[in-house]
Structures are given as C-alpha cells and as structure tokens.
Amino acid sequence: DVKVTQSSRYLVKRTGEKVFLECVQDMDHENMFWYRQDPGLGLRLIYFSYDVKMKEKGDIPEGYSVSREKKERFSLILESASTNQTSMYLCASSFSYLRGAGANVLTFGAGSRLTVL
Amino acid sequence: GNSVTQMEGPVTLSEEAFLTINCTYTATGYPSLFWYVQYPGEGLQLLLKATKADDKGSNKGFEATYRKETTSFHLEKGSVQVSDSAVYFCALTPYGGATNKLIFGTGTLLAVQP
C-alpha cells in the first residue's frame, strides 16, 4: 500500500523553538507539498517542491522554510515557532504533470497537529 | 484568480437520506475538479474527480458532474450511511498547471445520524 508518512502525529512546542516536521513518501513521486489546515479556512498551501532541491512558495510561506535533499523526503521547518502557527499540517505528494493523465491526484499523509504554547 | 466555494456545514442527515454538497469554482480555462474526503483522525483521500466539462466522477455511491456553464461540481449521494460522516473538500487544479497544486474549498462537515 502506497504511503505518505508524517513522522509526528502530535507535537507541543514553546514559542521561539525551532520545529521540524518530516514527511516521507514511497511512491517515487516528483511533487511534494505542505498544507496547513485550519477550521473555516480549509487547506492552504505553504510550500511545494517539484524536484530534489527545488522549492516554490505557496500562498502562506511566511514563517516557514522547507528542505528537500532526497526525492522521498520533504521537511517543513518553523525557524521560530509562534502561537499563530498552532495548526494541523498535512503533507502530500503526486507525480509530475509530465506523466500525463492521473498525475494530478495528491496522496496525503495523516497530518501532524502542532500546538505552540 | 482561482478559487473554490463550497457550502458551509455542518450538514446533519439521517441515515439513508439524500446528500448534496454544493461546490462552485472560479478559474480560467478548464481546471480539473476533485472531491476529497477526510475521515476523523485521518488525512485527506481522493473521493472522485473530473477533468473536462460534462464528465461525471463517481465512487462509493457518490457522484459529481463537471458543469462548465454553471462553474459547479456538486457532490451527491442517494442514500448516506453513518460511515460517510467526514469532512468533504472540493478542490481544483488550474488548467495547464505545471505543478498539480490543489486549491481547496473550506470543507463541509457531514454528520450522519443512525
């Protein structure tokens, strides 16, 4: 069964701490994404990557950075966590659009719920 | 720009009732349209999709038809079950998009009572 695995389901951090959220996929997908999910706001794209070492900002990149050193792994980094970053974070992956029909389906991980105190 | 608007929830239904969750979109050209479902404690999973006008996506008894003239992709099911209780997200991928970015609606919580 194909999977997107997020390393932590629940994290509690303090304001100012550096936070790493890890995501690994085993489907040989080119694209990887980090979304943030908040009640009433749906899912908002933070960053995405379409290849190793490549990244592009999504709609709400402020306060976040990402790293993609290997194809299967995409990390989200909060350099200095703040209370307004308390949220559910969802990682997803997909094939490149170059693979044609069916490539635009995203597979999601189970989510990481981060609380910043 | 591109956006998705879906009806606010929660939607509360009795088992075997008919379900409609409305979704309309704003986009140029011909986006691909999706419904994703999120069961309690889980990530999102694809429910169905449609990639061109008049296409009908279907899965697990759910259906949605891509209506270009009304820019809509409403989700329907003839007889809901308690196990359908979840949050449903309408989404689109912009036409010609090179990165498969999904733009989501805000989600609709469905609660089905026995």
Side-chain angles (χ1 to χ4, degrees), chain B residues 47-79:
Chain B
L47 181 60
L48 52 85
K49 70 171 187 176
T51 57
K52 60 183 187 295
D54 300 324
D55 264 4
K56 178 184 283 187
S58 61
N59 186 28
K60 299 181 181 180
F62 291 89
E63 293 183 338
T65 302
Y66 189 141
R67 302 286 188 199
K68 179 69 174 174
E69 63 277 13
T70 55
T71 62
S72 65
F73 193 55
H74 304 322
L75 183 68
E76 296 182 337
K77 186 175 186 183
S79 176

PDB file of all heavy atoms in Angstrom, chain B residues 47-79:
ATOM      1  N   LEU B  47     -11.824  11.191  -3.334  1.00  0.00           N
ATOM      2  CA  LEU B  47     -13.114  10.529  -3.449  1.00  0.00           C
ATOM      3  C   LEU B  47     -13.481  10.345  -4.930  1.00  0.00           C
ATOM      4  O   LEU B  47     -13.822   9.254  -5.366  1.00  0.00           O
ATOM      5  CB  LEU B  47     -14.184  11.343  -2.738  1.00  0.00           C
ATOM      6  CG  LEU B  47     -15.601  10.776  -2.744  1.00  0.00           C
ATOM      7  CD1 LEU B  47     -15.648   9.407  -2.087  1.00  0.00           C
ATOM      8  CD2 LEU B  47     -16.559  11.742  -2.050  1.00  0.00           C
ATOM      9  N   LEU B  48     -13.390  11.426  -5.710  1.00  0.00           N
ATOM     10  CA  LEU B  48     -13.670  11.343  -7.136  1.00  0.00           C
ATOM     11  C   LEU B  48     -13.108  12.579  -7.825  1.00  0.00           C
ATOM     12  O   LEU B  48     -12.773  13.560  -7.170  1.00  0.00           O
ATOM     13  CB  LEU B  48     -15.175  11.193  -7.412  1.00  0.00           C
ATOM     14  CG  LEU B  48     -16.117  12.212  -6.764  1.00  0.00           C
ATOM     15  CD1 LEU B  48     -16.240  13.470  -7.613  1.00  0.00           C
ATOM     16  CD2 LEU B  48     -17.498  11.616  -6.550  1.00  0.00           C
ATOM     17  N   LYS B  49     -13.030  12.484  -9.164  1.00  0.00           N
ATOM     18  CA  LYS B  49     -12.518  13.627  -9.908  1.00  0.00           C
ATOM     19  C   LYS B  49     -13.143  13.680 -11.292  1.00  0.00           C
ATOM     20  O   LYS B  49     -13.708  12.684 -11.774  1.00  0.00           O
ATOM     21  CB  LYS B  49     -11.005  13.567 -10.018  1.00  0.00           C
ATOM     22  CG  LYS B  49     -10.482  12.459 -10.934  1.00  0.00           C
ATOM     23  CD  LYS B  49      -8.988  12.607 -11.147  1.00  0.00           C
ATOM     24  CE  LYS B  49      -8.485  11.627 -12.195  1.00  0.00           C
ATOM     25  NZ  LYS B  49      -7.044  11.820 -12.496  1.00  0.00           N
ATOM     26  N   ALA B  50     -13.017  14.848 -11.947  1.00  0.00           N
ATOM     27  CA  ALA B  50     -13.457  15.034 -13.327  1.00  0.00           C
ATOM     28  C   ALA B  50     -12.499  16.016 -13.976  1.00  0.00           C
ATOM     29  O   ALA B  50     -12.105  17.004 -13.360  1.00  0.00           O
ATOM     30  CB  ALA B  50     -14.886  15.555 -13.389  1.00  0.00           C
ATOM     31  N   THR B  51     -12.122  15.732 -15.197  1.00  0.00           N
ATOM     32  CA  THR B  51     -11.083  16.541 -15.833  1.00  0.00           C
ATOM     33  C   THR B  51     -11.583  17.379 -16.995  1.00  0.00           C
ATOM     34  O   THR B  51     -10.841  18.224 -17.495  1.00  0.00           O
ATOM     35  CB  THR B  51      -9.931  15.645 -16.325  1.00  0.00           C
ATOM     36  OG1 THR B  51     -10.470  14.661 -17.210  1.00  0.00           O
ATOM     37  CG2 THR B  51      -9.249  14.971 -15.149  1.00  0.00           C
ATOM     38  N   LYS B  52     -12.826  17.188 -17.456  1.00  0.00           N
ATOM     39  CA  LYS B  52     -13.345  18.036 -18.520  1.00  0.00           C
ATOM     40  C   LYS B  52     -14.848  18.207 -18.372  1.00  0.00           C
ATOM     41  O   LYS B  52     -15.521  17.432 -17.657  1.00  0.00           O
ATOM     42  CB  LYS B  52     -13.001  17.494 -19.892  1.00  0.00           C
ATOM     43  CG  LYS B  52     -13.520  16.110 -20.205  1.00  0.00           C
ATOM     44  CD  LYS B  52     -13.037  15.676 -21.581  1.00  0.00           C
ATOM     45  CE  LYS B  52     -13.673  14.373 -22.019  1.00  0.00           C
ATOM     46  NZ  LYS B  52     -13.290  13.233 -21.176  1.00  0.00           N
ATOM     47  N   ALA B  53     -15.354  19.223 -19.062  1.00  0.00           N
ATOM     48  CA  ALA B  53     -16.768  19.565 -18.964  1.00  0.00           C
ATOM     49  C   ALA B  53     -17.655  18.366 -19.279  1.00  0.00           C
ATOM     50  O   ALA B  53     -17.374  17.592 -20.196  1.00  0.00           O
ATOM     51  CB  ALA B  53     -17.084  20.739 -19.879  1.00  0.00           C
ATOM     52  N   ASP B  54     -18.709  18.210 -18.453  1.00  0.00           N
ATOM     53  CA  ASP B  54     -19.719  17.158 -18.573  1.00  0.00           C
ATOM     54  C   ASP B  54     -19.236  15.791 -18.089  1.00  0.00           C
ATOM     55  O   ASP B  54     -20.019  14.835 -18.086  1.00  0.00           O
ATOM     56  CB  ASP B  54     -20.276  17.050 -19.992  1.00  0.00           C
ATOM     57  CG  ASP B  54     -20.939  18.335 -20.451  1.00  0.00           C
ATOM     58  OD1 ASP B  54     -21.570  19.002 -19.604  1.00  0.00           O
ATOM     59  OD2 ASP B  54     -20.816  18.680 -21.634  1.00  0.00           O
ATOM     60  N   ASP B  55     -17.988  15.695 -17.686  1.00  0.00           N
ATOM     61  CA  ASP B  55     -17.508  14.460 -17.064  1.00  0.00           C
ATOM     62  C   ASP B  55     -18.251  14.234 -15.757  1.00  0.00           C
ATOM     63  O   ASP B  55     -18.517  15.175 -15.011  1.00  0.00           O
ATOM     64  CB  ASP B  55     -16.010  14.564 -16.746  1.00  0.00           C
ATOM     65  CG  ASP B  55     -15.155  13.958 -17.833  1.00  0.00           C
ATOM     66  OD1 ASP B  55     -15.702  13.525 -18.856  1.00  0.00           O
ATOM     67  OD2 ASP B  55     -13.922  13.915 -17.637  1.00  0.00           O
ATOM     68  N   LYS B  56     -18.522  12.985 -15.457  1.00  0.00           N
ATOM     69  CA  LYS B  56     -19.093  12.637 -14.158  1.00  0.00           C
ATOM     70  C   LYS B  56     -18.089  11.760 -13.427  1.00  0.00           C
ATOM     71  O   LYS B  56     -17.706  10.700 -13.930  1.00  0.00           O
ATOM     72  CB  LYS B  56     -20.415  11.901 -14.308  1.00  0.00           C
ATOM     73  CG  LYS B  56     -21.022  11.468 -12.969  1.00  0.00           C
ATOM     74  CD  LYS B  56     -22.286  10.644 -13.141  1.00  0.00           C
ATOM     75  CE  LYS B  56     -23.470  11.514 -13.487  1.00  0.00           C
ATOM     76  NZ  LYS B  56     -24.742  10.736 -13.480  1.00  0.00           N
ATOM     77  N   GLY B  57     -17.694  12.202 -12.245  1.00  0.00           N
ATOM     78  CA  GLY B  57     -16.868  11.370 -11.386  1.00  0.00           C
ATOM     79  C   GLY B  57     -17.771  10.612 -10.425  1.00  0.00           C
ATOM     80  O   GLY B  57     -18.796  11.125  -9.985  1.00  0.00           O
ATOM     81  N   SER B  58     -17.388   9.374 -10.098  1.00  0.00           N
ATOM     82  CA  SER B  58     -18.205   8.590  -9.173  1.00  0.00           C
ATOM     83  C   SER B  58     -17.322   7.624  -8.395  1.00  0.00           C
ATOM     84  O   SER B  58     -16.308   7.127  -8.899  1.00  0.00           O
ATOM     85  CB  SER B  58     -19.297   7.827  -9.912  1.00  0.00           C
ATOM     86  OG  SER B  58     -18.737   6.929 -10.837  1.00  0.00           O
ATOM     87  N   ASN B  59     -17.739   7.357  -7.155  1.00  0.00           N
ATOM     88  CA  ASN B  59     -17.006   6.431  -6.305  1.00  0.00           C
ATOM     89  C   ASN B  59     -17.812   6.217  -5.024  1.00  0.00           C
ATOM     90  O   ASN B  59     -18.342   7.167  -4.454  1.00  0.00           O
ATOM     91  CB  ASN B  59     -15.623   6.999  -5.960  1.00  0.00           C
ATOM     92  CG  ASN B  59     -14.770   6.021  -5.202  1.00  0.00           C
ATOM     93  OD1 ASN B  59     -14.921   4.806  -5.331  1.00  0.00           O
ATOM     94  ND2 ASN B  59     -13.838   6.537  -4.417  1.00  0.00           N
ATOM     95  N   LYS B  60     -17.905   4.992  -4.583  1.00  0.00           N
ATOM     96  CA  LYS B  60     -18.562   4.645  -3.315  1.00  0.00           C
ATOM     97  C   LYS B  60     -19.993   5.182  -3.233  1.00  0.00           C
ATOM     98  O   LYS B  60     -20.476   5.519  -2.149  1.00  0.00           O
ATOM     99  CB  LYS B  60     -17.753   5.190  -2.132  1.00  0.00           C
ATOM    100  CG  LYS B  60     -16.348   4.641  -2.030  1.00  0.00           C
ATOM    101  CD  LYS B  60     -15.637   5.213  -0.805  1.00  0.00           C
ATOM    102  CE  LYS B  60     -14.225   4.677  -0.705  1.00  0.00           C
ATOM    103  NZ  LYS B  60     -13.513   5.209   0.470  1.00  0.00           N
ATOM    104  N   GLY B  61     -20.678   5.298  -4.344  1.00  0.00           N
ATOM    105  CA  GLY B  61     -22.047   5.794  -4.352  1.00  0.00           C
ATOM    106  C   GLY B  61     -22.154   7.302  -4.474  1.00  0.00           C
ATOM    107  O   GLY B  61     -23.242   7.841  -4.644  1.00  0.00           O
ATOM    108  N   PHE B  62     -21.030   8.001  -4.399  1.00  0.00           N
ATOM    109  CA  PHE B  62     -21.002   9.457  -4.572  1.00  0.00           C
ATOM    110  C   PHE B  62     -20.817   9.779  -6.053  1.00  0.00           C
ATOM    111  O   PHE B  62     -20.144   9.060  -6.778  1.00  0.00           O
ATOM    112  CB  PHE B  62     -19.851  10.076  -3.776  1.00  0.00           C
ATOM    113  CG  PHE B  62     -20.012  10.023  -2.299  1.00  0.00           C
ATOM    114  CD1 PHE B  62     -19.549   8.935  -1.571  1.00  0.00           C
ATOM    115  CD2 PHE B  62     -20.614  11.072  -1.617  1.00  0.00           C
ATOM    116  CE1 PHE B  62     -19.695   8.888  -0.195  1.00  0.00           C
ATOM    117  CE2 PHE B  62     -20.752  11.040  -0.239  1.00  0.00           C
ATOM    118  CZ  PHE B  62     -20.292   9.944   0.477  1.00  0.00           C
ATOM    119  N   GLU B  63     -21.423  10.897  -6.460  1.00  0.00           N
ATOM    120  CA  GLU B  63     -21.279  11.360  -7.841  1.00  0.00           C
ATOM    121  C   GLU B  63     -21.132  12.875  -7.864  1.00  0.00           C
ATOM    122  O   GLU B  63     -21.661  13.570  -6.977  1.00  0.00           O
ATOM    123  CB  GLU B  63     -22.524  11.015  -8.676  1.00  0.00           C
ATOM    124  CG  GLU B  63     -22.747   9.558  -8.920  1.00  0.00           C
ATOM    125  CD  GLU B  63     -23.958   9.339  -9.810  1.00  0.00           C
ATOM    126  OE1 GLU B  63     -24.820  10.233  -9.888  1.00  0.00           O
ATOM    127  OE2 GLU B  63     -24.031   8.255 -10.417  1.00  0.00           O
ATOM    128  N   ALA B  64     -20.444  13.373  -8.891  1.00  0.00           N
ATOM    129  CA  ALA B  64     -20.385  14.816  -9.129  1.00  0.00           C
ATOM    130  C   ALA B  64     -20.155  15.028 -10.618  1.00  0.00           C
ATOM    131  O   ALA B  64     -19.364  14.311 -11.239  1.00  0.00           O
ATOM    132  CB  ALA B  64     -19.268  15.464  -8.322  1.00  0.00           C
ATOM    133  N   THR B  65     -20.860  16.003 -11.198  1.00  0.00           N
ATOM    134  CA  THR B  65     -20.751  16.284 -12.627  1.00  0.00           C
ATOM    135  C   THR B  65     -20.129  17.652 -12.836  1.00  0.00           C
ATOM    136  O   THR B  65     -20.540  18.638 -12.220  1.00  0.00           O
ATOM    137  CB  THR B  65     -22.124  16.225 -13.305  1.00  0.00           C
ATOM    138  OG1 THR B  65     -22.690  14.925 -13.092  1.00  0.00           O
ATOM    139  CG2 THR B  65     -22.001  16.484 -14.799  1.00  0.00           C
ATOM    140  N   TYR B  66     -19.151  17.717 -13.713  1.00  0.00           N
ATOM    141  CA  TYR B  66     -18.431  18.935 -14.063  1.00  0.00           C
ATOM    142  C   TYR B  66     -19.328  19.770 -14.971  1.00  0.00           C
ATOM    143  O   TYR B  66     -19.545  19.430 -16.132  1.00  0.00           O
ATOM    144  CB  TYR B  66     -17.157  18.528 -14.791  1.00  0.00           C
ATOM    145  CG  TYR B  66     -16.118  19.579 -15.089  1.00  0.00           C
ATOM    146  CD1 TYR B  66     -14.783  19.264 -14.968  1.00  0.00           C
ATOM    147  CD2 TYR B  66     -16.439  20.864 -15.528  1.00  0.00           C
ATOM    148  CE1 TYR B  66     -13.776  20.184 -15.269  1.00  0.00           C
ATOM    149  CE2 TYR B  66     -15.466  21.788 -15.815  1.00  0.00           C
ATOM    150  CZ  TYR B  66     -14.137  21.447 -15.702  1.00  0.00           C
ATOM    151  OH  TYR B  66     -13.162  22.366 -16.004  1.00  0.00           O
ATOM    152  N   ARG B  67     -19.847  20.869 -14.435  1.00  0.00           N
ATOM    153  CA  ARG B  67     -20.745  21.752 -15.182  1.00  0.00           C
ATOM    154  C   ARG B  67     -20.017  23.052 -15.499  1.00  0.00           C
ATOM    155  O   ARG B  67     -19.889  23.929 -14.649  1.00  0.00           O
ATOM    156  CB  ARG B  67     -21.993  22.059 -14.372  1.00  0.00           C
ATOM    157  CG  ARG B  67     -22.799  20.841 -13.956  1.00  0.00           C
ATOM    158  CD  ARG B  67     -23.550  20.249 -15.115  1.00  0.00           C
ATOM    159  NE  ARG B  67     -24.465  19.187 -14.660  1.00  0.00           N
ATOM    160  CZ  ARG B  67     -24.962  18.265 -15.461  1.00  0.00           C
ATOM    161  NH1 ARG B  67     -24.626  18.232 -16.753  1.00  0.00           N
ATOM    162  NH2 ARG B  67     -25.793  17.362 -14.984  1.00  0.00           N
ATOM    163  N   LYS B  68     -19.576  23.169 -16.736  1.00  0.00           N
ATOM    164  CA  LYS B  68     -18.836  24.364 -17.135  1.00  0.00           C
ATOM    165  C   LYS B  68     -19.758  25.583 -17.163  1.00  0.00           C
ATOM    166  O   LYS B  68     -19.364  26.686 -16.775  1.00  0.00           O
ATOM    167  CB  LYS B  68     -18.223  24.142 -18.522  1.00  0.00           C
ATOM    168  CG  LYS B  68     -17.443  25.317 -19.060  1.00  0.00           C
ATOM    169  CD  LYS B  68     -16.174  25.556 -18.284  1.00  0.00           C
ATOM    170  CE  LYS B  68     -15.342  26.643 -18.950  1.00  0.00           C
ATOM    171  NZ  LYS B  68     -14.162  27.006 -18.128  1.00  0.00           N
ATOM    172  N   GLU B  69     -21.000  25.396 -17.589  1.00  0.00           N
ATOM    173  CA  GLU B  69     -21.909  26.530 -17.767  1.00  0.00           C
ATOM    174  C   GLU B  69     -22.282  27.188 -16.445  1.00  0.00           C
ATOM    175  O   GLU B  69     -22.541  28.386 -16.404  1.00  0.00           O
ATOM    176  CB  GLU B  69     -23.173  26.096 -18.523  1.00  0.00           C
ATOM    177  CG  GLU B  69     -24.036  25.064 -17.824  1.00  0.00           C
ATOM    178  CD  GLU B  69     -23.568  23.641 -18.012  1.00  0.00           C
ATOM    179  OE1 GLU B  69     -22.436  23.415 -18.487  1.00  0.00           O
ATOM    180  OE2 GLU B  69     -24.342  22.729 -17.649  1.00  0.00           O
ATOM    181  N   THR B  70     -22.293  26.387 -15.367  1.00  0.00           N
ATOM    182  CA  THR B  70     -22.614  26.945 -14.053  1.00  0.00           C
ATOM    183  C   THR B  70     -21.395  26.961 -13.129  1.00  0.00           C
ATOM    184  O   THR B  70     -21.516  27.310 -11.960  1.00  0.00           O
ATOM    185  CB  THR B  70     -23.735  26.134 -13.376  1.00  0.00           C
ATOM    186  OG1 THR B  70     -23.341  24.748 -13.330  1.00  0.00           O
ATOM    187  CG2 THR B  70     -25.043  26.256 -14.133  1.00  0.00           C
ATOM    188  N   THR B  71     -20.252  26.614 -13.650  1.00  0.00           N
ATOM    189  CA  THR B  71     -18.987  26.505 -12.881  1.00  0.00           C
ATOM    190  C   THR B  71     -19.227  25.801 -11.552  1.00  0.00           C
ATOM    191  O   THR B  71     -18.903  26.305 -10.473  1.00  0.00           O
ATOM    192  CB  THR B  71     -18.308  27.862 -12.680  1.00  0.00           C
ATOM    193  OG1 THR B  71     -19.148  28.728 -11.922  1.00  0.00           O
ATOM    194  CG2 THR B  71     -17.960  28.509 -13.989  1.00  0.00           C
ATOM    195  N   SER B  72     -19.819  24.605 -11.647  1.00  0.00           N
ATOM    196  CA  SER B  72     -20.166  23.880 -10.424  1.00  0.00           C
ATOM    197  C   SER B  72     -19.709  22.431 -10.486  1.00  0.00           C
ATOM    198  O   SER B  72     -19.473  21.878 -11.576  1.00  0.00           O
ATOM    199  CB  SER B  72     -21.677  23.930 -10.192  1.00  0.00           C
ATOM    200  OG  SER B  72     -22.361  23.246 -11.227  1.00  0.00           O
ATOM    201  N   PHE B  73     -19.606  21.834  -9.325  1.00  0.00           N
ATOM    202  CA  PHE B  73     -19.193  20.413  -9.206  1.00  0.00           C
ATOM    203  C   PHE B  73     -19.820  19.888  -7.919  1.00  0.00           C
ATOM    204  O   PHE B  73     -19.134  19.519  -6.977  1.00  0.00           O
ATOM    205  CB  PHE B  73     -17.670  20.333  -9.201  1.00  0.00           C
ATOM    206  CG  PHE B  73     -17.102  18.948  -9.385  1.00  0.00           C
ATOM    207  CD1 PHE B  73     -17.449  18.169 -10.470  1.00  0.00           C
ATOM    208  CD2 PHE B  73     -16.174  18.441  -8.482  1.00  0.00           C
ATOM    209  CE1 PHE B  73     -16.909  16.900 -10.655  1.00  0.00           C
ATOM    210  CE2 PHE B  73     -15.624  17.172  -8.651  1.00  0.00           C
ATOM    211  CZ  PHE B  73     -15.995  16.408  -9.735  1.00  0.00           C
ATOM    212  N   HIS B  74     -21.113  19.834  -7.861  1.00  0.00           N
ATOM    213  CA  HIS B  74     -21.837  19.468  -6.651  1.00  0.00           C
ATOM    214  C   HIS B  74     -21.720  17.964  -6.362  1.00  0.00           C
ATOM    215  O   HIS B  74     -21.865  17.133  -7.268  1.00  0.00           O
ATOM    216  CB  HIS B  74     -23.317  19.833  -6.772  1.00  0.00           C
ATOM    217  CG  HIS B  74     -23.571  21.271  -7.089  1.00  0.00           C
ATOM    218  ND1 HIS B  74     -22.823  22.315  -6.557  1.00  0.00           N
ATOM    219  CD2 HIS B  74     -24.491  21.852  -7.898  1.00  0.00           C
ATOM    220  CE1 HIS B  74     -23.279  23.459  -7.016  1.00  0.00           C
ATOM    221  NE2 HIS B  74     -24.284  23.212  -7.840  1.00  0.00           N
ATOM    222  N   LEU B  75     -21.520  17.639  -5.107  1.00  0.00           N
ATOM    223  CA  LEU B  75     -21.396  16.242  -4.676  1.00  0.00           C
ATOM    224  C   LEU B  75     -22.762  15.718  -4.258  1.00  0.00           C
ATOM    225  O   LEU B  75     -23.478  16.391  -3.498  1.00  0.00           O
ATOM    226  CB  LEU B  75     -20.410  16.146  -3.511  1.00  0.00           C
ATOM    227  CG  LEU B  75     -20.122  14.747  -2.983  1.00  0.00           C
ATOM    228  CD1 LEU B  75     -19.354  13.930  -4.018  1.00  0.00           C
ATOM    229  CD2 LEU B  75     -19.332  14.823  -1.681  1.00  0.00           C
ATOM    230  N   GLU B  76     -23.104  14.511  -4.716  1.00  0.00           N
ATOM    231  CA  GLU B  76     -24.398  13.911  -4.380  1.00  0.00           C
ATOM    232  C   GLU B  76     -24.230  12.450  -4.012  1.00  0.00           C
ATOM    233  O   GLU B  76     -23.340  11.768  -4.519  1.00  0.00           O
ATOM    234  CB  GLU B  76     -25.369  14.026  -5.567  1.00  0.00           C
ATOM    235  CG  GLU B  76     -25.729  15.436  -5.946  1.00  0.00           C
ATOM    236  CD  GLU B  76     -26.728  15.500  -7.081  1.00  0.00           C
ATOM    237  OE1 GLU B  76     -26.810  14.526  -7.858  1.00  0.00           O
ATOM    238  OE2 GLU B  76     -27.440  16.516  -7.197  1.00  0.00           O
ATOM    239  N   LYS B  77     -25.124  12.005  -3.133  1.00  0.00           N
ATOM    240  CA  LYS B  77     -25.222  10.580  -2.842  1.00  0.00           C
ATOM    241  C   LYS B  77     -26.680  10.283  -2.516  1.00  0.00           C
ATOM    242  O   LYS B  77     -27.301  11.012  -1.744  1.00  0.00           O
ATOM    243  CB  LYS B  77     -24.326  10.177  -1.675  1.00  0.00           C
ATOM    244  CG  LYS B  77     -24.309   8.659  -1.468  1.00  0.00           C
ATOM    245  CD  LYS B  77     -23.347   8.226  -0.392  1.00  0.00           C
ATOM    246  CE  LYS B  77     -23.292   6.697  -0.346  1.00  0.00           C
ATOM    247  NZ  LYS B  77     -22.416   6.177   0.732  1.00  0.00           N
ATOM    248  N   GLY B  78     -27.176   9.198  -3.062  1.00  0.00           N
ATOM    249  CA  GLY B  78     -28.598   8.910  -2.935  1.00  0.00           C
ATOM    250  C   GLY B  78     -29.024   8.459  -1.555  1.00  0.00           C
ATOM    251  O   GLY B  78     -30.163   8.730  -1.124  1.00  0.00           O
ATOM    252  N   SER B  79     -28.132   7.799  -0.823  1.00  0.00           N
ATOM    253  CA  SER B  79     -28.509   7.238   0.467  1.00  0.00           C
ATOM    254  C   SER B  79     -27.253   7.177   1.342  1.00  0.00           C
ATOM    255  O   SER B  79     -26.405   6.302   1.167  1.00  0.00           O
ATOM    256  CB  SER B  79     -29.098   5.835   0.282  1.00  0.00           C
ATOM    257  OG  SER B  79     -29.387   5.232   1.526  1.00  0.00           O
TER     258      SER B  79
END
